Amino acid sequence: MTIQIRHLDSAQPDFKQRLDTLLAFEASTDEAIEQSVAAILHDVRQRGDAAVLDYTNRFDRIPGGAASMAAFDVPQAELQAALAALPAAQRAALETAAARIRVFHERQKEELRGFTYIEPDGTLLGQRITPLDRVGIYVPGGKAAYPSSVLMNALPAKVAGVAEIIMVVPTPDGVKNQMVLAAAAIAGVTRVITIGGAQAVGALAYGTASIAPVDKIVGPGNAYVAAAKRRVFGTVGIDMIAGPSEILVLCDGSTDPDWVAMDLFSQAEHDELAQAIMLCPDAAYIARVEASIHKLLPSMPRADTIRTSMSERGALVKVRDMQEACDIANAIAAEHLEISAEDPQQWADKIRHAGAMFLGRFSSESLGDYCCGPNHVLPTSRTARFSSPLGVYDFQKRSSVIFVSEAGAQTLGKVAAELAYGEGLQAHARSAELRLRPAA
Amino acid sequence: MTIQIRHLDSAQPDFKQRLDTLLAFEASTDEAIEQSVAAILHDVRQRGDAAVLDYTNRFDRIPGGAASMAAFDVPQAELQAALAALPAAQRAALETAAARIRVFHERQKEELRGFTYIEPDGTLLGQRITPLDRVGIYVPGGKAAYPSSVLMNALPAKVAGVAEIIMVVPTPDGVKNQMVLAAAAIAGVTRVITIGGAQAVGALAYGTASIAPVDKIVGPGNAYVAAAKRRVFGTVGIDMIAGPSEILVLCDGSTDPDWVAMDLFSQAEHDELAQAIMLCPDAAYIARVEASIHKLLPSMPRADTIRTSMSERGALVKVRDMQEACDIANAIAAEHLEISAEDPQQWADKIRHAGAMFLGRFSSESLGDYCCGPNHVLPTSRTARFSSPLGVYDFQKRSSVIFVSEAGAQTLGKVAAELAYGEGLQAHARSAELRLRPAA
């Protein structure tokens, strides 16, 4: 079965509308999932561990059924054993990736140190940065269990200085993913609990007898996990709810077309809803990439997923020039943006919205997914217009510091009282006025 | 009618439970509001301006009924006229507050400049900071229209470099609040539109013929506005959904009790759900504050609100010592924390969670509410455990920058391929391997 790829041309009169249609993606809200999740969360809040135990035994088909929550705790020794048992090359790769992720995220931490300044009258103002106390990391189980995601979610929290990192990972049929456990060991996760689903989100948010409540929950999950995270938001912090993954390749036609085709595949192989789009001003080059796609597809183990994704949601777009490509890229605000071109920096300077930018033909997205250092948890579905990669800052918060001197209270008090009376808040005004020295 | 204030003592065996009960606040979800908001948002998305016009004429009882959306646009000349017509003292107070807010928020901008570093093999990694393109500021209408909130919401966006700031403010019965319009002029708001409610949130999120869609919506509102913001989250960014305002005063007994009583009032006067709590190790001093409360209450114009709030949700708490007060303050994670004590810095150093800290007896919360410089939009309902004051950073986002050199691709490619094969993502692996030079 061949692959049908959509071709668009920015010169088409209805191009904008076609592009909008292509990009449109709305996570549907499934009422049955919503109700099921609401019931599970309510039950976990009421019955605590007993509820989590019941759901886990049932949904994850735990062989024999666990008798207590203790059965789901993975001892640190087991994490270390998983790490020790890894093939040497795999272990080295994980450790290299972790070291590089740490270095990049340390730079984020250095950037955000807080500040203090003192005004001439002695009033001190500032902003203090502190880490969260305790966070929960959700790691999907089964086929979508990615050790790289353990590193990308846990290490920023670790670098931020979070004291307790609780990782939950479901183990369908009781099967543990050893590479995931090894990644938890490398990342320095405090505690691993083999529970998942809405029940794990509820346990982390509300706490149970065996699990202390966390301050924030991050990490991807299925529709039940996403719905549960939305519902506990406010009780705890959450990261963005991720949509399907996307890549946008801006190409001036100077890169080996096989490379670009494989970069598009690397997004498309994630799942059938993933989106891979190329923008290029060179029609002949677009044809060469398309030929590479047809040539390379049969060799891919995940060819079926790639074919569906590329046919349903992919596109090869002919643009007038690279400047127009940048304008379109800003409208798309892609999760991953590859600028595969000569002197890519000139185009990068024109990009305002993208989760991560991959510059030059050697920066394949897959390098960034695993081991460049920056985070692979990135804003999807155009949310790069207003949100950022997961980072150390997601595990820190700021507090304002205000230390008004007696002299400062004299000038500030009059300003505050004037405005407070204007807003009809007299106690605010009086509170400021009480600090004024009586007129001489 | 006298005021009944709850007394707690940390030595009580059930103290923790009593405190938890006192702090418990859960915004109830009103199904009727949810359905009404869903219908309004759907209608605005379908019919655009026509829907916004209909709802605004109806809900805000616009006299005569506006014929088109143009009627709701407030020309810049009208904003400037409102500013020119303000009493001189009020105008000076607003301008002083704005100048101080700008200075503090410029420091936030300076702190976050992004970074770049180049590795020995020539690979460049970095993080770029860019402002949002267009944001919406929701300002409540009627009695709760606060010009200070206009400054606190708009100025961080302005400092961040947001190109377009669209302010919406409903005008029930067509009445415009002149001080709010003047504040918009001072803050440099791009456009003011006199619409509100879920229809305004929908117009900002989805866009209409007359209103371009924004990237983020901030600012407080009633239950309809809060529900609408939750629903459009994802399409646009939103700030935290604010709960009732709170103050926690840590007192060593060295501050004039009238001052502390008035500080508690300044929170309690906001609304009946506001929460004002004092922690103090000195029982005699607690009695003096209570006496001040009884003495001062009758003089307050908003005495009824203060009485209800203090009776229902306030407390005077006897603690063992200031150290214990700090521990309890960390558990409460208050929006506003006053440390009204000698050498307050020693206690501030023990605080991990608070929206804003007010140190020393001259730092009344009301000074911070209006004109110290830090933002008065702060995390409520214990969310200071994981979130921050509104700031310039809320109107900026980060993009990762990855520019791998040919040499870098050789080492990184092998690491990425090893991990990608381990995760079963072969296109990721091949995409990295294509960049490897053939072995010599």
Side-chain angles (χ1 to χ4, degrees), chain A residues 322-380:
Chain A
M322 286 296 283
Q323 172 63 54
E324 188 187 41
C326 293
D327 296 341
I328 295 172
N330 281 322
I332 293 178
E335 181 191 14
H336 304 97
L337 175 68
E338 281 188 15
I339 303 182
S340 204
E342 298 289 346
D343 186 12
Q345 194 68 59
Q346 64 178 314
W347 309 120
D349 291 344
K350 297 176 190 292
I351 300 298
R352 294 195 314 281
H353 312 301
M357 289 186 266
F358 298 80
L359 310 189
R361 67 178 64 97
F362 288 99
S363 304
S364 73
E365 187 210 306
S366 62
L367 300 182
D369 285 344
Y370 288 107
C371 60
C372 285
N375 212 287
H376 78 196
V377 181
L378 296 167
T380 58

Short mmCIF file of all heavy atoms in Angstrom, two decimals, chain A residues 322-380:
data_model
loop_
_atom_site.label_atom_id
_atom_site.label_comp_id
_atom_site.label_asym_id
_atom_site.label_seq_id
_atom_site.Cartn_x
_atom_site.Cartn_y
_atom_site.Cartn_z
N MET A 322 12.12 31.48 1.66
CA MET A 322 12.36 31.11 3.06
C MET A 322 11.74 32.13 4.02
O MET A 322 11.35 31.79 5.12
CB MET A 322 13.86 30.95 3.32
CG MET A 322 14.46 29.67 2.72
SD MET A 322 13.79 28.14 3.45
CE MET A 322 14.69 28.10 5.01
N GLN A 323 11.67 33.38 3.61
CA GLN A 323 11.02 34.39 4.46
C GLN A 323 9.56 34.02 4.69
O GLN A 323 9.06 34.06 5.82
CB GLN A 323 11.12 35.77 3.80
CG GLN A 323 10.30 36.86 4.50
CD GLN A 323 10.76 37.12 5.93
OE1 GLN A 323 11.93 37.39 6.16
NE2 GLN A 323 9.85 37.02 6.91
N GLU A 324 8.88 33.62 3.63
CA GLU A 324 7.48 33.21 3.79
C GLU A 324 7.40 31.94 4.65
O GLU A 324 6.47 31.79 5.45
CB GLU A 324 6.81 32.98 2.44
CG GLU A 324 5.31 32.75 2.58
CD GLU A 324 4.64 32.35 1.28
OE1 GLU A 324 5.22 31.53 0.52
OE2 GLU A 324 3.53 32.84 1.02
N ALA A 325 8.37 31.06 4.48
CA ALA A 325 8.40 29.85 5.30
C ALA A 325 8.45 30.21 6.79
O ALA A 325 7.78 29.60 7.63
CB ALA A 325 9.59 28.97 4.92
N CYS A 326 9.24 31.22 7.12
CA CYS A 326 9.34 31.66 8.53
C CYS A 326 8.02 32.25 9.01
O CYS A 326 7.60 31.99 10.15
CB CYS A 326 10.47 32.68 8.69
SG CYS A 326 12.11 31.98 8.43
N ASP A 327 7.36 33.02 8.15
CA ASP A 327 6.07 33.59 8.54
C ASP A 327 5.06 32.48 8.84
O ASP A 327 4.32 32.54 9.83
CB ASP A 327 5.52 34.49 7.42
CG ASP A 327 6.40 35.72 7.18
OD1 ASP A 327 7.20 36.06 8.07
OD2 ASP A 327 6.29 36.32 6.09
N ILE A 328 5.05 31.47 7.96
CA ILE A 328 4.11 30.35 8.17
C ILE A 328 4.49 29.59 9.44
O ILE A 328 3.63 29.17 10.22
CB ILE A 328 4.10 29.43 6.93
CG1 ILE A 328 3.53 30.20 5.71
CG2 ILE A 328 3.29 28.17 7.19
CD1 ILE A 328 3.66 29.45 4.39
N ALA A 329 5.79 29.43 9.66
CA ALA A 329 6.24 28.73 10.87
C ALA A 329 5.78 29.45 12.13
O ALA A 329 5.42 28.82 13.13
CB ALA A 329 7.77 28.59 10.88
N ASN A 330 5.78 30.78 12.10
CA ASN A 330 5.29 31.53 13.27
C ASN A 330 3.80 31.32 13.48
O ASN A 330 3.34 31.26 14.62
CB ASN A 330 5.61 33.02 13.12
CG ASN A 330 7.06 33.32 13.47
OD1 ASN A 330 7.61 32.73 14.41
ND2 ASN A 330 7.68 34.22 12.73
N ALA A 331 3.06 31.17 12.38
CA ALA A 331 1.62 30.91 12.52
C ALA A 331 1.38 29.50 13.07
O ALA A 331 0.45 29.27 13.83
CB ALA A 331 0.92 31.10 11.19
N ILE A 332 2.24 28.55 12.66
CA ILE A 332 2.06 27.17 13.11
C ILE A 332 2.54 26.98 14.55
O ILE A 332 1.98 26.20 15.31
CB ILE A 332 2.80 26.20 12.14
CG1 ILE A 332 2.13 26.23 10.76
CG2 ILE A 332 2.87 24.80 12.71
CD1 ILE A 332 2.79 25.34 9.71
N ALA A 333 3.58 27.72 14.96
CA ALA A 333 4.12 27.61 16.32
C ALA A 333 4.37 26.15 16.69
O ALA A 333 3.83 25.64 17.67
CB ALA A 333 3.20 28.28 17.34
N ALA A 334 5.19 25.49 15.91
CA ALA A 334 5.37 24.04 16.04
C ALA A 334 6.10 23.65 17.31
O ALA A 334 6.90 24.40 17.86
CB ALA A 334 6.15 23.51 14.83
N GLU A 335 5.82 22.41 17.75
CA GLU A 335 6.55 21.83 18.88
C GLU A 335 8.03 21.69 18.52
O GLU A 335 8.90 22.15 19.25
CB GLU A 335 5.92 20.46 19.19
CG GLU A 335 6.56 19.75 20.36
CD GLU A 335 6.10 18.31 20.48
OE1 GLU A 335 5.49 17.79 19.51
OE2 GLU A 335 6.36 17.70 21.53
N HIS A 336 8.31 21.03 17.39
CA HIS A 336 9.69 20.87 16.90
C HIS A 336 9.81 21.59 15.57
O HIS A 336 9.03 21.33 14.65
CB HIS A 336 10.02 19.41 16.66
CG HIS A 336 9.82 18.51 17.83
ND1 HIS A 336 8.68 17.76 18.01
CD2 HIS A 336 10.61 18.24 18.90
CE1 HIS A 336 8.78 17.06 19.13
NE2 HIS A 336 9.93 17.34 19.69
N LEU A 337 10.78 22.48 15.46
CA LEU A 337 11.01 23.19 14.20
C LEU A 337 12.45 22.94 13.75
O LEU A 337 13.39 23.36 14.42
CB LEU A 337 10.79 24.70 14.41
CG LEU A 337 11.13 25.57 13.19
CD1 LEU A 337 10.14 25.33 12.06
CD2 LEU A 337 11.14 27.05 13.58
N GLU A 338 12.59 22.20 12.64
CA GLU A 338 13.92 22.02 12.05
C GLU A 338 14.13 23.07 10.97
O GLU A 338 13.29 23.22 10.08
CB GLU A 338 14.07 20.63 11.42
CG GLU A 338 14.33 19.52 12.42
CD GLU A 338 14.68 18.17 11.73
OE1 GLU A 338 14.99 18.17 10.51
OE2 GLU A 338 14.60 17.15 12.41
N ILE A 339 15.25 23.79 11.05
CA ILE A 339 15.62 24.69 9.95
C ILE A 339 16.81 24.06 9.27
O ILE A 339 17.96 24.23 9.69
CB ILE A 339 15.91 26.11 10.47
CG1 ILE A 339 14.70 26.65 11.24
CG2 ILE A 339 16.26 27.03 9.30
CD1 ILE A 339 14.85 28.06 11.75
N SER A 340 16.52 23.26 8.24
CA SER A 340 17.55 22.48 7.56
C SER A 340 17.98 23.28 6.35
O SER A 340 17.46 23.10 5.25
CB SER A 340 16.96 21.11 7.19
OG SER A 340 17.98 20.15 7.05
N ALA A 341 18.92 24.19 6.58
CA ALA A 341 19.27 25.16 5.54
C ALA A 341 20.69 25.64 5.76
O ALA A 341 21.26 25.49 6.83
CB ALA A 341 18.31 26.35 5.60
N GLU A 342 21.26 26.23 4.71
CA GLU A 342 22.54 26.93 4.83
C GLU A 342 22.33 28.14 5.74
O GLU A 342 21.30 28.80 5.64
CB GLU A 342 23.02 27.43 3.45
CG GLU A 342 23.29 26.36 2.42
CD GLU A 342 24.54 25.54 2.73
OE1 GLU A 342 25.35 25.97 3.58
OE2 GLU A 342 24.69 24.46 2.13
N ASP A 343 23.31 28.45 6.56
CA ASP A 343 23.21 29.61 7.46
C ASP A 343 21.83 29.69 8.13
O ASP A 343 21.08 30.64 7.93
CB ASP A 343 23.50 30.91 6.68
CG ASP A 343 23.55 32.12 7.62
OD1 ASP A 343 23.58 31.92 8.86
OD2 ASP A 343 23.53 33.25 7.12
N PRO A 344 21.49 28.67 8.91
CA PRO A 344 20.13 28.60 9.47
C PRO A 344 19.83 29.74 10.45
O PRO A 344 18.68 30.10 10.66
CB PRO A 344 20.11 27.25 10.18
CG PRO A 344 21.54 26.94 10.48
CD PRO A 344 22.32 27.53 9.34
N GLN A 345 20.88 30.33 11.04
CA GLN A 345 20.65 31.34 12.07
C GLN A 345 19.87 32.53 11.51
O GLN A 345 19.05 33.12 12.20
CB GLN A 345 22.00 31.79 12.65
CG GLN A 345 21.88 32.57 13.95
CD GLN A 345 21.38 31.74 15.12
OE1 GLN A 345 21.99 30.75 15.49
NE2 GLN A 345 20.25 32.14 15.69
N GLN A 346 20.12 32.87 10.22
CA GLN A 346 19.40 34.01 9.64
C GLN A 346 17.89 33.77 9.66
O GLN A 346 17.11 34.71 9.82
CB GLN A 346 19.87 34.26 8.20
CG GLN A 346 19.56 33.11 7.25
CD GLN A 346 19.98 33.35 5.82
OE1 GLN A 346 19.75 34.41 5.25
NE2 GLN A 346 20.62 32.35 5.22
N TRP A 347 17.47 32.51 9.51
CA TRP A 347 16.03 32.22 9.54
C TRP A 347 15.55 32.07 10.98
O TRP A 347 14.44 32.50 11.32
CB TRP A 347 15.72 30.96 8.72
CG TRP A 347 16.32 31.02 7.34
CD1 TRP A 347 17.23 30.17 6.79
CD2 TRP A 347 16.09 32.03 6.35
NE1 TRP A 347 17.58 30.57 5.52
CE2 TRP A 347 16.88 31.71 5.22
CE3 TRP A 347 15.27 33.17 6.29
CZ2 TRP A 347 16.90 32.50 4.07
CZ3 TRP A 347 15.28 33.95 5.14
CH2 TRP A 347 16.09 33.61 4.05
N ALA A 348 16.38 31.48 11.82
CA ALA A 348 16.01 31.33 13.23
C ALA A 348 15.70 32.68 13.87
O ALA A 348 14.82 32.80 14.72
CB ALA A 348 17.12 30.62 14.00
N ASP A 349 16.43 33.71 13.44
CA ASP A 349 16.21 35.04 14.00
C ASP A 349 14.82 35.58 13.68
O ASP A 349 14.35 36.51 14.32
CB ASP A 349 17.27 36.02 13.47
CG ASP A 349 18.66 35.72 14.02
OD1 ASP A 349 18.73 34.96 15.02
OD2 ASP A 349 19.64 36.22 13.48
N LYS A 350 14.17 35.00 12.68
CA LYS A 350 12.84 35.46 12.31
C LYS A 350 11.72 34.65 12.98
O LYS A 350 10.54 34.90 12.75
CB LYS A 350 12.67 35.37 10.79
CG LYS A 350 13.63 36.28 10.01
CD LYS A 350 13.48 36.07 8.51
CE LYS A 350 14.58 36.77 7.74
NZ LYS A 350 14.50 38.25 7.80
N ILE A 351 12.12 33.63 13.73
CA ILE A 351 11.12 32.76 14.37
C ILE A 351 10.78 33.30 15.75
O ILE A 351 11.66 33.52 16.58
CB ILE A 351 11.65 31.32 14.49
CG1 ILE A 351 11.96 30.74 13.11
CG2 ILE A 351 10.66 30.43 15.26
CD1 ILE A 351 10.77 30.62 12.19
N ARG A 352 9.51 33.52 15.99
CA ARG A 352 9.06 33.97 17.32
C ARG A 352 8.44 32.85 18.14
O ARG A 352 8.47 32.90 19.36
CB ARG A 352 8.03 35.10 17.18
CG ARG A 352 8.59 36.40 16.57
CD ARG A 352 7.64 37.58 16.80
NE ARG A 352 6.26 37.25 16.50
CZ ARG A 352 5.74 37.18 15.26
NH1 ARG A 352 6.51 37.43 14.23
NH2 ARG A 352 4.48 36.89 15.09
N HIS A 353 7.86 31.86 17.48
CA HIS A 353 7.12 30.83 18.22
C HIS A 353 7.52 29.43 17.79
O HIS A 353 7.27 29.03 16.66
CB HIS A 353 5.61 30.99 17.99
CG HIS A 353 5.13 32.40 18.15
ND1 HIS A 353 5.28 33.10 19.32
CD2 HIS A 353 4.51 33.24 17.29
CE1 HIS A 353 4.77 34.31 19.17
NE2 HIS A 353 4.30 34.43 17.94
N ALA A 354 8.13 28.69 18.72
CA ALA A 354 8.47 27.28 18.48
C ALA A 354 8.87 26.69 19.82
O ALA A 354 9.47 27.39 20.65
CB ALA A 354 9.62 27.16 17.49
N GLY A 355 8.53 25.43 20.05
CA GLY A 355 8.94 24.78 21.29
C GLY A 355 10.45 24.61 21.33
O GLY A 355 11.12 25.05 22.25
N ALA A 356 10.99 23.98 20.30
CA ALA A 356 12.44 23.84 20.16
C ALA A 356 12.81 24.03 18.70
O ALA A 356 12.08 23.59 17.81
CB ALA A 356 12.91 22.47 20.65
N MET A 357 13.93 24.71 18.49
CA MET A 357 14.43 24.94 17.13
C MET A 357 15.67 24.09 16.90
O MET A 357 16.59 24.14 17.73
CB MET A 357 14.78 26.42 16.96
CG MET A 357 13.57 27.30 16.91
SD MET A 357 14.03 29.02 16.52
CE MET A 357 14.16 29.65 18.18
N PHE A 358 15.70 23.37 15.82
CA PHE A 358 16.84 22.52 15.45
C PHE A 358 17.48 23.14 14.22
O PHE A 358 16.88 23.14 13.15
CB PHE A 358 16.36 21.10 15.17
CG PHE A 358 15.73 20.43 16.36
CD1 PHE A 358 14.43 20.71 16.72
CD2 PHE A 358 16.45 19.55 17.15
CE1 PHE A 358 13.84 20.14 17.84
CE2 PHE A 358 15.89 18.97 18.27
CZ PHE A 358 14.57 19.26 18.61
N LEU A 359 18.67 23.68 14.38
CA LEU A 359 19.28 24.46 13.30
C LEU A 359 20.35 23.66 12.57
O LEU A 359 21.19 23.01 13.19
CB LEU A 359 19.91 25.73 13.87
CG LEU A 359 19.04 26.58 14.80
CD1 LEU A 359 19.73 27.92 15.09
CD2 LEU A 359 17.67 26.82 14.20
N GLY A 360 20.28 23.75 11.25
CA GLY A 360 21.32 23.12 10.43
C GLY A 360 20.99 21.66 10.16
O GLY A 360 20.22 21.03 10.87
N ARG A 361 21.62 21.10 9.15
CA ARG A 361 21.19 19.78 8.72
C ARG A 361 21.64 18.66 9.64
O ARG A 361 21.12 17.55 9.56
CB ARG A 361 21.67 19.52 7.28
CG ARG A 361 23.16 19.39 7.12
CD ARG A 361 23.49 19.09 5.68
NE ARG A 361 23.11 20.20 4.82
CZ ARG A 361 23.96 21.15 4.41
NH1 ARG A 361 25.23 21.11 4.78
NH2 ARG A 361 23.55 22.13 3.65
N PHE A 362 22.57 18.92 10.55
CA PHE A 362 23.00 17.86 11.47
C PHE A 362 22.13 17.77 12.73
O PHE A 362 22.23 16.84 13.50
CB PHE A 362 24.48 18.04 11.85
CG PHE A 362 25.38 17.69 10.70
CD1 PHE A 362 25.92 18.68 9.90
CD2 PHE A 362 25.65 16.37 10.39
CE1 PHE A 362 26.72 18.36 8.82
CE2 PHE A 362 26.45 16.03 9.31
CZ PHE A 362 27.00 17.04 8.51
N SER A 363 21.27 18.80 12.93
CA SER A 363 20.44 18.81 14.14
C SER A 363 19.12 18.09 13.89
O SER A 363 18.07 18.71 13.78
CB SER A 363 20.15 20.26 14.57
OG SER A 363 21.35 20.97 14.76
N SER A 364 19.18 16.77 13.81
CA SER A 364 17.92 16.05 13.66
C SER A 364 17.16 16.12 14.98
O SER A 364 17.75 16.18 16.05
CB SER A 364 18.19 14.59 13.30
OG SER A 364 18.68 13.89 14.42
N GLU A 365 15.84 16.12 14.85
CA GLU A 365 15.02 16.18 16.06
C GLU A 365 15.36 15.03 16.99
O GLU A 365 15.34 15.20 18.22
CB GLU A 365 13.54 16.12 15.68
CG GLU A 365 12.63 16.34 16.88
CD GLU A 365 11.31 15.60 16.76
OE1 GLU A 365 10.63 15.78 15.74
OE2 GLU A 365 10.99 14.85 17.69
N SER A 366 15.70 13.89 16.45
CA SER A 366 15.92 12.72 17.33
C SER A 366 17.10 12.95 18.28
O SER A 366 17.11 12.41 19.38
CB SER A 366 16.13 11.46 16.49
OG SER A 366 17.28 11.59 15.68
N LEU A 367 18.08 13.74 17.86
CA LEU A 367 19.20 14.03 18.77
C LEU A 367 18.67 14.80 19.98
O LEU A 367 19.05 14.54 21.13
CB LEU A 367 20.28 14.84 18.06
CG LEU A 367 20.94 14.18 16.85
CD1 LEU A 367 22.04 15.09 16.29
CD2 LEU A 367 21.52 12.82 17.21
N GLY A 368 17.78 15.76 19.72
CA GLY A 368 17.20 16.54 20.81
C GLY A 368 16.25 15.71 21.67
O GLY A 368 16.14 15.94 22.87
N ASP A 369 15.59 14.74 21.04
CA ASP A 369 14.67 13.91 21.81
C ASP A 369 15.39 13.14 22.91
O ASP A 369 14.82 12.83 23.95
CB ASP A 369 13.99 12.88 20.88
CG ASP A 369 12.92 13.52 20.02
OD1 ASP A 369 12.50 14.65 20.33
OD2 ASP A 369 12.51 12.89 19.03
N TYR A 370 16.66 12.82 22.65
CA TYR A 370 17.35 11.93 23.58
C TYR A 370 18.47 12.56 24.39
O TYR A 370 18.60 12.30 25.57
CB TYR A 370 17.90 10.71 22.82
CG TYR A 370 16.82 9.78 22.40
CD1 TYR A 370 16.43 9.69 21.07
CD2 TYR A 370 16.14 9.02 23.33
CE1 TYR A 370 15.40 8.85 20.68
CE2 TYR A 370 15.10 8.18 22.96
CZ TYR A 370 14.73 8.10 21.63
OH TYR A 370 13.71 7.28 21.26
N CYS A 371 19.32 13.34 23.74
CA CYS A 371 20.59 13.55 24.43
C CYS A 371 21.30 14.88 24.19
O CYS A 371 22.42 15.05 24.67
CB CYS A 371 21.53 12.40 24.08
SG CYS A 371 21.86 12.28 22.32
N CYS A 372 20.69 15.84 23.50
CA CYS A 372 21.40 17.12 23.36
C CYS A 372 21.51 17.82 24.70
O CYS A 372 22.52 18.45 25.01
CB CYS A 372 20.70 18.01 22.34
SG CYS A 372 20.98 17.48 20.64
N GLY A 373 20.45 17.74 25.48
CA GLY A 373 20.45 18.40 26.77
C GLY A 373 19.14 19.13 27.06
O GLY A 373 18.57 18.99 28.13
N PRO A 374 18.64 19.93 26.11
CA PRO A 374 17.33 20.57 26.30
C PRO A 374 16.22 19.53 26.47
O PRO A 374 16.38 18.37 26.06
CB PRO A 374 17.15 21.37 25.01
CG PRO A 374 18.55 21.68 24.57
CD PRO A 374 19.33 20.43 24.92
N ASN A 375 15.13 19.95 27.05
CA ASN A 375 14.06 19.00 27.37
C ASN A 375 13.28 18.58 26.13
O ASN A 375 13.11 19.35 25.21
CB ASN A 375 13.11 19.63 28.39
CG ASN A 375 12.52 18.58 29.31
OD1 ASN A 375 11.67 17.81 28.89
ND2 ASN A 375 13.01 18.54 30.53
N HIS A 376 12.80 17.34 26.14
CA HIS A 376 11.98 16.90 25.00
C HIS A 376 10.48 17.05 25.29
O HIS A 376 9.65 16.76 24.43
CB HIS A 376 12.34 15.49 24.53
CG HIS A 376 11.82 14.36 25.36
ND1 HIS A 376 12.32 13.08 25.26
CD2 HIS A 376 10.86 14.27 26.30
CE1 HIS A 376 11.67 12.28 26.10
NE2 HIS A 376 10.79 12.99 26.74
N VAL A 377 10.13 17.50 26.50
CA VAL A 377 8.72 17.80 26.79
C VAL A 377 8.47 19.24 26.35
O VAL A 377 8.98 20.18 26.95
CB VAL A 377 8.41 17.65 28.29
CG1 VAL A 377 6.93 17.95 28.54
CG2 VAL A 377 8.78 16.27 28.78
N LEU A 378 7.71 19.38 25.26
CA LEU A 378 7.59 20.67 24.57
C LEU A 378 6.13 20.99 24.31
O LEU A 378 5.29 20.09 24.25
CB LEU A 378 8.33 20.59 23.22
CG LEU A 378 9.84 20.37 23.30
CD1 LEU A 378 10.40 20.01 21.93
CD2 LEU A 378 10.54 21.62 23.83
N PRO A 379 5.82 22.27 24.17
CA PRO A 379 4.42 22.66 23.93
C PRO A 379 3.94 22.23 22.55
O PRO A 379 4.60 22.49 21.55
CB PRO A 379 4.45 24.19 24.05
CG PRO A 379 5.88 24.60 23.93
CD PRO A 379 6.71 23.43 24.35
N THR A 380 2.77 21.58 22.50
CA THR A 380 2.19 21.07 21.26
C THR A 380 0.97 21.90 20.86
O THR A 380 0.56 22.80 21.59
CB THR A 380 1.72 19.61 21.45
OG1 THR A 380 0.78 19.58 22.52
CG2 THR A 380 2.89 18.70 21.79
#
